[in-house]
């Protein structure tokens, strides 16, 4: 492997809202030596706000300094958290954040990777795709503990639940790793909208087939959409190359918006070299459109996300999780849904993410019940068996005109 004394990077990015979501809560940034992907969560635009706040906070960091970048990630967490507290409609918002940055040390360069959440950084080297980051998600924890395999994880109902996110708590633990770049390396930053639709071998195949980083990013996002596009997907591809840019290359890459060159030892710091001076390297995510809908889905994700963070901080063993799940889902209670008396399985109000589920629907309407029965229902509490719940419902309907218990 050739260690570049002069580091030349070429990159391209793409993001898309996918085929199900009505808005894009992913955000990305690419510029001089810093590449960031964030995947926001939260209702009422919270996800978009969180992802964009975090990305912008990190983008402000001084280039080339690991400690400045680390502080910028810490700042991003605080900023998202404080904004969420200050604005009730943004309460509970959060975001993943994964960043790849060039660190100049002595004569050479290395990359530093920061990660919080389940967005990923991969390195594609010698036709091998390697995930450099660790996912901070509930299912990834289960896989690491050997309780489920990758296949089970990929279809697990809680696969979107994060155990760490930017902005959820005042402090956050940030993963940090150093990577030595080699000529020919291809780094991929992506949100889970890509990795939930495509497995590593499908991603590797695409990376092998397409040389241009912008084109491969676009192709990967398109492939995620073809496989269902159930989430926003964002891909940023960064290629490590050798030698100076040619005039042709430069023109083409500037036209692509995302490519530039990192200076050699002769340059001061990571300043833009002369040939690129005056060029606009601002990231312009071409496929990204920000709309403002789909809050229902977002609410679901935010409540799950917030719940799992709380859970993982307090419950550290699978046995305890299973016990709580069993407890939350055990027994029944009588409830009112859409004005109808129903029997729900599980504890009233749920526990952590274990929500009660509808066991039996009845035609008895709450408005038809006497005040006495309404208050009996309100105070009926937990019942250990379905039979008990059904018997209770039967006592309600005896006062009525033949409402029927049906399923
Ligand atoms: Mn996502």
């Amino acid at each position: 492997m050739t260690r570049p004394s002069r580091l030349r990077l070429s990159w391209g990015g793409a993001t898309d809202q996918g085929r199900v979501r009505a808005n894009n809560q992913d955000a990305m940034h690419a510029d001089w030596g810093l590449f960031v992907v964030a995947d926001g969560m939260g209702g009422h635009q919270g996800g978009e706000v969180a992802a964009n706040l975090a990305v912008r906070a990190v983008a402000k960091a001084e280039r080339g300094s690991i400690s400045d970048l680390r502080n910028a990630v810490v700042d991003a967490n605080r900023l998202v958290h404080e904004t969420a507290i200050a604005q009730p409609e943004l309460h509970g918002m959060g975001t993943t954040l994964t960043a790849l940055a060039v660190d100049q040390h002595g004569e050479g360069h290395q990359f530093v990777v920061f990660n919080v959440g389940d967005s990923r950084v991969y390195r594609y080297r010698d036709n091998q795709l390697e995930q450099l980051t660790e996912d901070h998600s509930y299912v990834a924890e289960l896989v690491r503990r050997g309780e489920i395999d990758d296949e089970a994880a990929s279809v697990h109902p809680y696969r979107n639940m994060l155990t760490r996110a930017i902005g959820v708590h005042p402090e956050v633990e940030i993963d940090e790793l150093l990577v030595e770049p080699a000529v020919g390396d291809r780094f991929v930053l992506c949100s889970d909208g890509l990795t939930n639709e495509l497995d590593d071998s499908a991603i590797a195949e695409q990376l092998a087939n397409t040389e241009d980083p912008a084109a491969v990013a676009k192709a990967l996002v398109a492939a995620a959409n073809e496989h269902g596009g159930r989430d926003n997907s964002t891909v940023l591809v960064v290629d490590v190359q050798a030698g100076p840019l040619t005039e042709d290359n430069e023109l083409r890459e500037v036209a692509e918006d995302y490519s530039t060159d990192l200076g050699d030892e002769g340059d001061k710091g990571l300043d833009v070299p002369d040939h690129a001076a005056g060029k606009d390297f601002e990231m312009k995510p071409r496929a990204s459109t920000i709309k403002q809908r789909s809050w229902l889905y977002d609410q679901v994700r935010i409540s799950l996300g917030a719940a799992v963070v709380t859970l993982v901080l307090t419950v550290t063993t699978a046995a305890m999780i299973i016990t709580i799940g069993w407890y939350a889902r055990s027994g029944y209670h009588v409830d009112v849904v859409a004005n109808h008396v129903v029997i729900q399985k599980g504890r009233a109000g749920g526990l952590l993410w274990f929500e009660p589920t509808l066991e039996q629907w009845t035609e008895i309407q709450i408005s038809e019940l006497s005040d006495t029965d309404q208050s009996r229902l309100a105070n009926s509490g937990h019942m250990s068996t379905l039979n008990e719940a059904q018997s209770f419902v039967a006592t309600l309907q005896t006062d009525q005109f033949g409402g029927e218990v049906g399923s």
Side-chain angles (χ1 to χ4, degrees):
M1 112 182 152
T2 321
R3 173 124 176 260
S5 62
R6 178 187 166 86
L7 190 62
R8 180 187 158 205
L9 302 179
S10 170
W11 66 86
T15 182
D16 192 80
Q17 72 189 46
R19 295 166 67 173
V20 175
R21 305 293 185 87
N23 56 358
N24 192 344
Q25 301 196 326
D26 285 359
M28 64 174 172
H29 178 90
D31 74 19
W32 200 248
L34 178 65
F35 305 93
V36 191
V37 165
D39 175 356
M41 58 185 185
H44 275 284
Q45 304 166 45
E48 288 158 35
V49 174
N52 282 285
L53 278 180
V55 164
R56 265 186 269 161
V58 173
K60 279 199 293 198
E62 185 78 23
R63 300 298 181 268
S65 155
I66 293 185
S67 61
D68 282 358
L69 276 162
R70 186 188 305 123
N71 290 337
V73 179
V74 172
D75 288 346
N77 182 70
R78 192 168 40 227
L79 179 65
V80 173
H81 186 66
E82 284 170 1
T83 308
I85 288 171
Q87 298 185 41
E89 73 276 16
L90 299 176
H91 187 71
M93 71 176 175
T95 184
T96 72
L97 185 88
T98 188
L100 174 77
V102 176
D103 168 50
Q104 197 168 35
H105 63 112
E107 298 280 290
H109 299 93
Q110 63 184 353
F111 285 159
V112 59
V113 171
F114 293 102
N115 185 53
V116 176
D118 67 352
S119 296
R120 293 178 180 174
V121 179
Y122 286 98
R123 177 176 56 201
Y124 184 66
R125 174 184 281 179
D126 300 332
N127 299 311
Q128 298 294 320
L129 188 67
E130 184 190 354
Q131 184 181 340
L132 300 179
T133 52
E134 194 170 79
D135 295 346
H136 304 136
S137 70
Y138 172 65
V139 293
E141 293 275 339
L142 295 183
V143 171
R144 282 195 284 274
R145 286 201 295 253
E147 288 173 30
I148 59 173
D149 60 13
D150 285 342
E151 204 177 317
S154 70
V155 294
H156 199 284
Y158 302 142
R159 65 183 176 278
N160 291 330
M161 293 168 54
L162 301 181
T163 52
R164 262 196 245 172
I166 292 282
V168 176
H169 294 288
E171 312 263 324
V172 69
E173 190 187 341
I174 302 157
D175 282 0
E176 180 177 326
L177 58 135
L178 294 174
V179 185
E180 289 291 341
V183 171
D185 279 352
R186 171 165 259 191
F187 290 86
V188 179
L189 287 77
C190 60
S191 63
D192 68 340
L194 176 75
T195 51
N196 283 339
E197 302 294 1
L198 299 186
D199 62 18
D200 286 7
S201 65
I203 294 171
E205 197 183 314
Q206 201 65 255
L207 293 171
N209 289 342
T210 312
E211 206 178 312
D212 179 66
V216 76
K218 221 170 172 178
L220 282 166
V221 164
N225 283 339
E226 275 159 31
H227 280 78
R230 282 160 283 197
D231 192 4
N232 314 139
S233 59
T234 299
V235 179
L236 200 44
V237 177
V238 182
D239 288 342
V240 180
Q241 300 168 333
L245 289 169
T246 66
E247 187 78 5
D248 276 359
N249 245 346
E250 188 191 339
L251 288 173
R252 183 184 65 80
E253 295 182 274
V254 171
E256 292 283 356
D257 270 339
Y258 308 131
S259 294
T260 186
D261 189 20
L262 285 174
D264 59 22
E265 299 103 301
D267 290 324
K268 308 132 218 89
L270 288 167
D271 285 342
V272 180
D274 288 339
H275 73 263
K279 296 275 177 10
D280 177 15
F281 291 107
E282 248 337 73
M283 184 73 171
K284 289 174 193 150
R286 286 161 290 187
S288 161
T289 41
I290 299 198
K291 293 178 192 157
Q292 299 157 1
R293 276 187 289 126
S294 183
W295 61 270
L296 181 63
Y297 194 99
D298 301 340
Q299 296 282 16
V300 172
R301 191 171 171 179
I302 185 182
S303 63
L304 293 179
V308 77
V309 168
T310 310
L311 173 84
V312 171
L313 288 176
T314 51
V315 181
T316 51
T317 70
M320 285 174 83
I321 292 170
I322 290 160
T323 308
I324 288 169
W326 172 82
Y327 174 81
R329 299 277 303 130
S330 68
Y332 300 86
H333 66 276
V334 180
D335 203 351
V336 178
V337 170
N339 204 33
H340 285 258
V341 175
V342 299
I343 298 172
Q344 303 257 46
K345 177 159 175 51
R347 304 271 158 180
L351 190 63
L352 300 173
W353 64 72
F354 301 99
E355 295 292 328
T357 52
L358 187 68
E359 181 72 22
Q360 205 162 62
W361 177 263
T362 80
E363 290 304 322
I364 305 170
Q365 300 208 11
I366 184 78
S367 53
E368 295 166 355
L369 294 181
S370 66
D371 289 351
T372 320
D373 277 352
Q374 287 191 22
S375 81
R376 278 180 58 226
L377 191 156
N379 296 315
S380 59
H382 187 75
M383 302 177 196
S384 42
T385 66
L386 181 59
N387 233 329
E388 197 183 329
Q390 285 170 333
S391 306
F392 176 79
V393 169
T395 66
L396 296 176
Q397 68 190 126
T398 51
D399 302 340
Q400 296 306 308
F401 35 89
E404 203 173 279
V405 180
S407 53

